[in-house]
Amino acid sequence: KDIHGLNIIGLAGEWLTATANTNMFTYEIAPVFIVMEEILLKKMYEIIGWDESEADGIFSPGGSISNLYSVLVARYKRYPEIKTKGMAALPDIVLFVSEHSHYSVKKAAAVLGIGMDNVIAIKCDERGKMIPSELEGNILKVKRQGKVPLYVSATAGTTVYGAFDPLTNIADICQKYNLWMHVDAAWGGGLLLSRRHAHKLSGIERANSVTWNPHKLMGVPLQCSAFLVHEKGLLQACNQLCAGYLFQPDKQYDTAYDTGDKSIQCGRHVDVFKLWLMWRAKGTQGFEILINRFLELTEYLYKQLKKRKHYELVFDAEPELTNVCFWYIPPSLQKIPRGSERERRLHQVIAPKIKARMIEEGTTMVSYQPHGNNVNFFRMVFSNSATKKSDIDFLLEEIERLGKDL
C-alpha cells in the first residue's frame, strides 16, 4: 500500500477530505470528522499513558503551532489574567529548551510577546540530550534574578541527532519547581507505537502537554499534528470567545462536541480523516512494523558506515531514532591529521560540493549541516516506507563516486 513512500490509503483520505470540503469548528458542520478526532485523540492519550477522561487535545497545522499551543496553555494555567489584561499584567516569565530543540519554541515566545531573550537554551551532552543538572542550575539562576521560571520543553527526537531528552529526570525537576513540562515528540512520538522502542520515551506520561506529528514517523500525508494536554478544560478556557454566530449554547445537541472554541483558529482543516483511515487499515501493529523497519534500516546504515574506511560517524553510538550523522572523508584528507585545515576542508568543500553534485546529477539528496562544534556533516533520516537496504548501499557508493576527487 506504500508507493514511493506515499501511503495510498492516506492519499485516499486526503482526496475524500477535499471532496467533503468541510470545516472542523462545530459538530453540525462536520459530525463524523469531529467524532473521529475525539476517538483518535483518546487513543493517543492512552498510548502516552494518560487517563482519557482527564486529557484533551486538538489537531493543529503542524508541530510549530502545537508547540505554540503548549506555551499558550502553560502561561494561561499560571496567569489566567493574560487573556484579558495582556503581558503588562505579568511578571517576567522564562521558558527553557535544550540547545538542540526545534526553533519553534523560540518563535512561539516571539509571537506570544514573551520575547526570545526569555528562552534559555540548556546545554546537552555529546549525544544531544539535555543535561538535567544544567536545567536545575538555570532554573535557580532565573529565580535569583526575580523572574518566574514557567515552562520546560523536553524533546523526544531532536531534529539533527534524533536524541531523546531524559524525560523522567526533567519531570522530577519540573515537579520540584512547579514548572509546566511539555514534550515535543513531533518527530519521535511515533516510537510509542513500537513495543521495541517505546521505552525511549519513558516518562512522557508525566508531561503536562505533548506535541506528536503523525505526518512524520507514521507516514501520514502532510499535515497531521496533534497537541495533547493532560488537563481537560484548559484549552477551552484559554481560547474560547463564545462567538454567538457559531457557538450557540442552546443547540439541540451536546455543544461539548463543538471543538472550534478550543482552537486559536476559526476555520480548521480536517487533518484527522486520513490518519483514522490509515489506522483502520494498518492497525497499531501495522504502524509498529513500519517504524521498526525504519529503525532496522538506520542500524544497517550505521553498521555500513562503521565498516567503510571513507566514513566517520559524528558520534560513535547506535542511533536512537532514524537520524544518522556522518562525514565522508575523501582520499585527499585520509592522511591529513585532525585539525583546523582538515575541518575547514570538510566544512567548506566536501559536504557542500557533494550536495551540489547530487542535485546536478539528480540521483539522490541528503542534507548536511554544522551543529555546535561539529563542521558540516551529512544527516540521513529514514521516514520513507519505500526505502530498501540496496538504496543505502547506492547512497554510500554515490557519495564516494561524487566526492572521491575532492
Side-chain angles (χ1 to χ4, degrees):
K1 296 186 188 77
D2 297 302
I3 300 172
H4 306 307
L6 178 64
N7 182 275
I8 291 299
I9 288 168
L11 179 62
E14 194 73 270
W15 282 341
L16 288 165
T17 299
T19 307
N21 191 31
T22 190
N23 207 322
M24 286 292 279
F25 44 63
T26 62
Y27 177 76
E28 60 195 332
I29 295 293
V32 175
F33 296 143
I34 293 271
V35 171
M36 279 178 179
E37 185 171 74
E38 187 178 28
I39 289 166
L40 276 186
L41 287 169
K42 281 181 173 172
K43 181 96 182 144
M44 292 167 100
Y45 310 146
E46 180 198 323
I47 289 166
I48 286 170
W50 294 344
D51 181 336
E52 65 172 55
S53 64
E54 293 170 3
D56 205 349
I58 198 149
F59 279 80
S60 90
S64 291
I65 303 295
S66 292
N67 285 344
L68 183 133
Y69 270 113
S70 71
V71 180
L72 190 66
V73 172
R75 182 176 65 177
Y76 178 80
K77 170 73 176 165
R78 179 83 64 95
Y79 300 107
E81 64 273 25
I82 180 70
K83 188 170 170 180
T84 46
K85 296 191 170 60
M87 282 299 283
L90 266 56
D92 283 340
I93 58 180
V94 178
L95 317 176
F96 302 88
V97 296
S98 96
E99 59 181 354
H100 289 228
S101 68
H102 192 261
Y103 67 84
S104 54
V105 177
K106 231 178 180 172
K107 187 168 273 195
V111 170
L112 297 173
I114 291 166
M116 296 195 305
D117 288 354
N118 291 316
V119 181
I120 293 178
I122 304 298
K123 274 202 180 68
C124 292
D125 63 18
E126 70 287 345
R127 284 297 313 268
K129 296 170 181 286
M130 190 195 288
I131 301 168
S133 59
E134 289 281 337
L135 172 63
E136 188 164 16
N138 274 280
I139 289 169
L140 292 168
K141 186 177 165 188
V142 160
K143 278 174 165 289
R144 285 196 299 273
Q145 292 166 346
K147 295 181 178 183
V148 179
L150 180 82
Y151 161 108
V152 178
S153 178
T155 310
T158 58
T159 310
V160 180
Y161 287 173
F164 289 82
D165 286 338
L167 302 182
T168 300
N169 303 43
I170 292 168
D172 290 342
I173 292 167
C174 289
Q175 203 173 335
K176 184 173 173 184
Y177 296 102
N178 188 31
L179 271 73
W180 182 279
M181 179 182 171
H182 176 64
V183 177
D184 178 0
W187 179 209
L191 288 195
L192 289 167
L193 301 173
S194 164
R195 283 163 295 189
R196 195 181 303 163
H197 299 286
H199 66 91
K200 294 169 186 175
L201 292 101
S202 175
I204 194 169
E205 70 286 351
R206 293 176 64 191
N208 297 95
S209 59
V210 172
T211 291
W212 179 357
N213 287 4
H215 70 224
K216 288 192 160 75
L217 209 53
M218 292 165 72
V220 178
L222 274 163
Q223 65 192 11
C224 190
S225 172
F227 170 67
L228 311 157
V229 60
H230 201 176
E231 186 180 329
K232 207 174 189 66
L234 254 188
L235 259 174
Q236 187 88 9
C238 177
N239 295 320
Q240 74 180 0
L241 285 175
C242 306
Y245 49 84
L246 269 185
F247 307 114
Q248 301 91 353
D250 53 358
K251 290 178 181 172
Q252 63 167 24
Y253 60 84
D254 180 359
T255 54
Y257 284 107
D258 289 351
T259 57
D261 242 3
K262 291 199 295 194
S263 166
I264 55 175
Q265 304 164 255
C266 174
R268 192 160 62 89
H269 187 258
V270 178
D271 291 330
V272 72
F273 182 54
K274 56 201 167 191
L275 173 60
W276 185 87
L277 212 56
M278 280 176 71
W279 217 316
R280 292 290 296 178
K282 278 180 181 291
T284 303
Q285 200 179 358
F287 281 122
E288 180 178 36
I289 290 164
L290 176 76
I291 288 159
N292 286 347
R293 191 165 80 225
F294 288 149
L295 279 117
E296 281 156 22
L297 287 168
T298 306
E299 192 183 354
Y300 178 77
L301 173 58
Y302 167 72
K303 288 182 169 159
Q304 285 298 313
L305 290 166
K306 281 179 77 84
K307 258 192 246 174
R308 294 175 184 238
K309 65 173 186 190
H310 290 297
Y311 290 96
E312 232 173 73
L313 288 149
V314 172
F315 50 82
D316 190 6
E318 197 163 314
E320 289 186 296
L321 200 43
T322 76
N323 309 40
V324 187
C325 302
F326 60 92
W327 290 284
Y328 168 67
I329 315 290
S332 67
L333 288 185
Q334 292 283 334
K335 301 277 191 286
I336 299 180
R338 284 170 186 270
S340 56
E341 176 54 22
R342 184 178 187 266
E343 304 276 282
R344 187 191 66 76
R345 291 274 302 283
L346 282 174
H347 187 71
Q348 292 177 4
V349 181
I350 311 304
K353 278 269 169 67
I354 291 175
K355 173 75 180 272
R357 289 175 180 182
M358 274 181 190
I359 291 169
E360 281 165 17
E361 297 263 338
T363 47
T364 181
M365 190 155 75
V366 182
S367 68
Y368 69 83
Q369 73 272 302
H371 206 54
N373 298 324
N374 289 319
V375 296
N376 279 331
F377 54 83
F378 288 107
R379 171 172 57 107
M380 180 68 189
V381 180
F382 295 99
S383 62
N384 182 330
S385 52
T387 309
K388 302 184 292 293
K389 285 181 180 173
S390 57
D391 297 321
I392 296 170
D393 297 333
F394 172 78
L395 169 75
L396 296 179
E397 277 147 28
E398 192 65 355
I399 289 174
E400 289 184 39
R401 181 178 78 82
L402 296 173
K404 62 179 185 287
D405 65 330
L406 292 172

